[in-house]
């Protein structure tokens, strides 16, 4: 089973970006943790990040037939992108929406997601652990 972990804009800055909010781990360190967790769960974990909406749409389209599931932190595109929603609906790959911060406790514009209602699950507020919890939950669901 192959799982894609995909992150959106500004998440390449993790480690230095608002560390009080997002923690001090880099995205590379989070990816390494997820790959280790993948070994434990007996799934292959591939990772990706882009700041560009169209690149993320392309990565999702290319995931069809390759990945059993996607762990997605779409960053700010969560709150704006009908294109990402449509890409996820088109491939119909089960995905988990994750966020490091507790988006429900932040600005009102972050409290709407174009993705949550079509996600297999949503995890937010646990820092880097949100990705790990999301990966575990997704694999559990996929293995049924
Ligand atoms: C985020 C939350 C988003 O609102 C924000 O735009 C991000 C990061 C998170 O992981 O907490 O870039 O997705």
């Amino acid at each position: 089973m192959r799982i894609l972990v995909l992150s959106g804009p500004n998440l390449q800055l993790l480690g230095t970006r608002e560390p009080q909010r997002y923690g001090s781990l880099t995205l590379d360190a989070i990816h390494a943790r997820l790959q280790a967790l993948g070994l434990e769960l007996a799934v292959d974990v591939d990772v990706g990040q882009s700041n560009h909406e169209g690149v993320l749409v392309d990565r999702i389209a290319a995931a069809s037939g390759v990945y059993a599931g996607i762990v997605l932190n779409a960053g700010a595109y969560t709150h704006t992108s009908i294109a990402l929603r449509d890409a996820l609906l088109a491939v119909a790959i089960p995905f988990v929406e994750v966020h490091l911060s507790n988006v429900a406790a932040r600005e009102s514009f972050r409290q709407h997601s174009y993705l949550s209602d079509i996600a297999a699950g949503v995890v937010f507020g646990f820092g880097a652990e949100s990705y790990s919890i999301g990966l575990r939950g997704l694999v559990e669901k996929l293995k049924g």
Side-chain angles (χ1 to χ4, degrees):
M1 185 185 288
R2 288 179 78 182
I3 304 291
L4 176 63
V5 176
L6 195 55
S7 294
N10 299 309
L11 292 163
Q12 86 284 6
L13 299 175
L14 287 178
T16 57
R17 177 191 180 194
E18 297 182 78
Q20 70 291 351
R21 188 187 300 285
Y22 294 119
S24 54
L25 281 186
T26 63
L27 189 58
D28 280 348
I30 293 172
H31 286 165
R33 283 186 175 196
L34 293 169
Q35 272 155 344
L37 179 57
L39 285 179
E40 187 191 306
L41 300 173
V43 297
D44 288 330
V45 174
D46 292 337
V47 298
Q49 186 274 333
S50 178
N51 292 323
H52 304 281
E53 188 176 17
V55 173
L56 295 167
V57 168
D58 288 344
R59 285 299 296 260
I60 292 166
S64 188
V66 179
Y67 294 101
I70 301 173
V71 176
L72 177 64
N73 183 353
Y77 292 141
T78 305
H79 318 297
T80 63
S81 181
I82 298 168
L84 281 185
R85 177 187 178 89
D86 285 350
L88 290 158
L89 285 171
V91 296
I93 299 171
F95 76 96
V96 174
E97 173 186 347
V98 302
H99 302 283
L100 298 115
S101 64
N102 179 357
V103 284
R106 298 183 62 190
E107 303 96 320
S108 57
F109 61 81
R110 292 184 207 277
Q111 291 171 28
H112 175 260
S113 165
Y114 278 102
L115 311 178
S116 299
D117 66 302
I118 59 165
V122 183
V123 182
F124 55 82
F126 295 99
E129 269 303 297
S130 291
Y131 281 88
S132 303
I133 295 165
L135 177 59
R136 271 187 195 280
L138 182 61
V139 170
E140 283 279 321
K141 268 205 184 204
L142 291 172
K143 289 191 171 169

